[in-house]
Amino acid sequence: MEKSENITNKGTLVLTKAVFNILLEKIIDHFSSKHNINFPSYKENQLYGFGNYNIELPNLKKDLESVLKGYINGKYLYNKNREASTGKPFIKISREYKYVFFNYLGFKDIHEFINQDFFTPRQKSKQLELLHQENKVEDYYYVCYYYGEDKKMSKGQVIVYRQWKNVEMKYIYEDDYGQTGIYSFFGSITHSENFVFFDTKFFLGSKKNEGAKFIFFIGKSAPHERNFLIGTYSGFDKYDNTIAGKMILKKSDSRLDMEKEVSNKEFDPIISQELNKKRIIVESVIRKSPLLFSSKSPYAQVLFNISGKYLLEFHQDNNTYAIKINIEKHHLNIKSLNDSFMIKEDRISLINNGQIINMDFSIKGLFYIQKASIYVNTYGLLEGNNDTTSGKFTAVDVNSNIISGKVKFENLKN
């Protein structure tokens, strides 16, 4: 976390995007009038004075240096223009640049400039709000972790501005050829009860588009008091698929620390464990039939016909361990019918083109088997086919041994 004042932070001036754009417009108009230059034929690098430009021809670098009577980086104003064009809500002008741009136009500082008739009342009031705010405003830096598009853990940059009112997010991808792509989002933050909501946008050319949405739980404390925030996101990925998933934000002490962590290819095992595979993908394809929703859809009716109450007998060597379960219709939850233990982390799926049912669950309580994975023929378990059917299981017992054997399903008639 780094502290900053809206007017000056180590010589930093914060401008709204609207004020900066008008400032740049006035600078270019003044330059054009002074040198009798017709735009837009003038090249950008010649205008600002950087790269392969002709130092003998007029350029802003030379003009500004004559005002400052010192060195000016010709690309500084160009870079700030690029920041504004991406939709960044605030532009920070640092060091000598926070005076020389206004001096070039004949103004002492931002205060004289903002009092001109260049601005609408709303534009002026938003800038004055920044200038007159007495309390110090802190920017907060976070690394966001999530399970990304290419089935890999990913990192991004999150910068929170104006005491949790605005957010900037950057996602950096590297392709197979080592080329880096950056996706930038800007948005507003709202607070409701124990949550904060990020509503982001991105710019494609000059058009503003809807970005991703984020919800993070903060509890009763202020969000910046927490080193970690856990929440969810929904939006679209770089392949234009609709996606949702779990995300963790880790607070950094500074922008440099955040950028250093994002560039690091390593991931904290604790964070990876929490986020791996925590991603929902809805492909951008129009389905003409519900049977085309996914590869599992044609077998859905089969899956829902296995509901009911069963006695499960696990046979391992010469030992037998029995439990009673209820597979709920519609919901496909596996519930324990025994009072001494509960069933958790349950999942039922069809594999091998719907021919095999796979059940995974953990048992919490007093039972020899603690975690089991069961495979049973679909036809044998369908309602009305058999009173009993058999399958195979692998499991972890109460002593943390891996065991396997035969499992028998007996249908408990109501």
Side-chain angles (χ1 to χ4, degrees):
M1 179 187 66
E2 292 180 346
K3 295 183 177 181
S4 65
E5 284 184 308
N6 277 330
I7 300 176
T8 54
N9 171 30
K10 300 178 181 178
T12 297
L13 170 68
V14 182
L15 301 179
T16 66
K17 185 177 70 171
V19 169
F20 173 80
N21 285 338
I22 293 173
L23 172 64
L24 180 62
E25 177 188 333
K26 296 301 179 184
I27 289 174
I28 294 176
D29 286 348
H30 180 70
F31 175 82
S32 176
S33 176
K34 177 181 177 181
H35 298 286
N36 195 25
I37 292 174
N38 182 28
F39 289 101
S41 59
Y42 220 61
K43 292 183 178 180
E44 283 189 324
N45 65 321
Q46 185 63 47
L47 168 64
Y48 292 100
F50 68 89
N52 187 24
Y53 77 103
N54 188 339
I55 61 174
E56 301 300 326
L57 295 177
N59 58 82
L60 279 171
K61 174 180 170 64
K62 183 188 296 184
D63 277 13
L64 294 172
E65 284 182 337
S66 67
V67 174
L68 180 66
K69 296 182 172 37
Y71 172 77
I72 287 290
N73 180 353
K75 205 171 184 180
Y76 185 88
L77 187 57
Y78 169 82
N79 287 338
K80 293 301 174 180
N81 184 31
R82 291 287 298 273
E83 285 183 30
S85 67
T86 64
K88 196 169 183 178
F90 303 102
I91 308 299
K92 293 183 178 181
I93 309 297
S94 63
R95 305 189 309 276
E96 63 275 13
Y97 300 102
K98 71 170 187 168
Y99 298 111
V100 70
F101 296 145
F102 302 106
N103 297 161
Y104 181 63
L105 297 175
F107 302 108
K108 179 181 178 183
D109 52 26
I110 176 62
H111 297 281
E112 286 191 3
F113 182 67
I114 200 68
N115 283 328
Q116 305 305 307
D117 295 329
F118 305 148
F119 310 95
T120 66
R122 178 173 173 80
Q123 289 171 338
K124 183 178 292 188
S125 66
K126 289 187 72 173
Q127 183 62 55
L128 288 174
E129 180 184 346
L130 285 176
L131 294 175
H132 295 161
Q133 188 173 342
E134 296 179 357
N135 295 329
K136 289 187 176 181
V137 175
E138 296 175 345
D139 295 342
Y140 298 95
Y141 302 93
Y142 294 84
V143 178
C144 67
Y145 302 85
Y146 60 101
Y147 188 71
E149 286 89 335
D150 300 311
K151 298 183 179 180
K152 295 180 180 179
M153 287 294 301
S154 301
K155 299 175 185 177
Q157 301 177 13
V158 177
I159 307 173
V160 175
Y161 299 108
R162 300 183 63 214
Q163 297 294 68
W164 285 82
K165 293 182 180 178
N166 298 94
V167 64
E168 175 184 355
M169 310 182 82
K170 290 184 180 179
Y171 302 99
I172 303 168
Y173 297 96
E174 187 174 294
D175 62 21
D176 296 335
Y177 304 99
Q179 299 296 315
T180 298
I182 300 177
Y183 295 78
S184 297
F185 296 83
F186 304 93
S188 59
I189 301 175
T190 56
H191 303 245
S192 178
E193 298 295 333
N194 297 321
F195 298 89
V196 290
F197 300 81
F198 295 177
D199 182 6
T200 68
K201 316 287 182 186
F202 74 98
F203 283 80
L204 190 60
S206 59
K207 183 181 178 183
K208 183 188 291 185
N209 297 274
E210 288 293 327
K213 315 294 182 183
F214 305 81
I215 303 175
F216 294 98
F217 177 76
I218 59 171
K220 298 301 182 183
S221 61
H224 67 268
E225 294 177 354
R226 298 185 176 275
N227 291 325
F228 293 91
L229 294 176
I230 301 176
T232 59
Y233 64 88
S234 63
F236 52 89
D237 64 15
K238 62 181 179 180
Y239 302 118
D240 292 329
N241 293 319
T242 304
I243 50 93
K246 185 176 181 180
M247 178 176 282
I248 294 177
L249 300 186
K250 177 184 177 182
K251 189 163 71 171
S252 298
D253 290 333
S254 66
R255 180 189 291 268
L256 183 62
D257 288 347
M258 173 190 67
E259 293 174 345
K260 183 178 179 181
E261 172 60 22
V262 170
S263 65
N264 185 356
K265 304 297 183 182
E266 299 296 320
F267 287 85
D268 186 327
I270 297 176
I271 292 177
S272 293
Q273 176 183 258
E274 290 299 314
L275 298 179
N276 261 314
K277 315 299 182 184
K278 301 291 178 65
R279 185 179 180 88
I280 299 171
I281 303 173
V282 181
E283 296 176 348
S284 299
V285 179
I286 302 299
R287 270 73 173 183
K288 296 181 179 180
S289 165
L291 293 177
L292 300 176
F293 282 169
S294 74
S295 60
K296 300 181 294 184
S297 299
Y299 313 108
Q301 195 63 42
V302 173
L303 192 61
F304 280 85
N305 282 340
I306 67 170
S307 61
K309 297 178 180 179
Y310 296 92
L311 172 67
L312 266 62
E313 291 185 354
F314 296 92
H315 297 269
Q316 192 262 331
D317 294 335
N318 296 321
N319 301 311
T320 300
Y321 310 99
I323 62 172
K324 293 180 181 180
I325 65 168
N326 177 28
I327 300 176
E328 293 183 330
K329 192 172 184 178
H330 306 302
H331 316 295
L332 295 179
N333 295 318
I334 304 175
K335 297 294 186 180
S336 171
L337 296 177
N338 300 73
D339 294 334
S340 58
F341 54 79
M342 298 182 297
I343 289 180
K344 298 288 187 181
E345 302 167 3
D346 54 301
R347 182 179 64 86
I348 302 177
S349 61
L350 288 171
I351 59 177
N352 281 40
N353 295 325
Q355 300 302 304
I356 303 294
I357 297 171
N358 173 215
M359 298 183 185
D360 292 302
F361 55 85
S362 296
I363 297 175
K364 306 297 183 183
L366 300 175
F367 192 67
Y368 182 75
I369 291 175
Q370 297 291 288
K371 186 172 180 62
S373 185
I374 297 171
Y375 300 88
V376 61
N377 182 275
T378 303
Y379 180 81
L381 204 58
L382 286 178
E383 185 178 1
N385 282 356
N386 301 293
D387 287 337
T388 62
T389 190
S390 296
K392 301 290 185 179
F393 79 90
T394 57
V396 178
D397 69 16
V398 71
N399 298 313
S400 298
N401 297 315
I402 299 174
I403 61 175
S404 62
K406 178 181 176 181
V407 62
K408 185 176 78 172
F409 283 75
E410 180 182 341
N411 199 322
L412 298 177
K413 303 294 184 180
N414 293 330

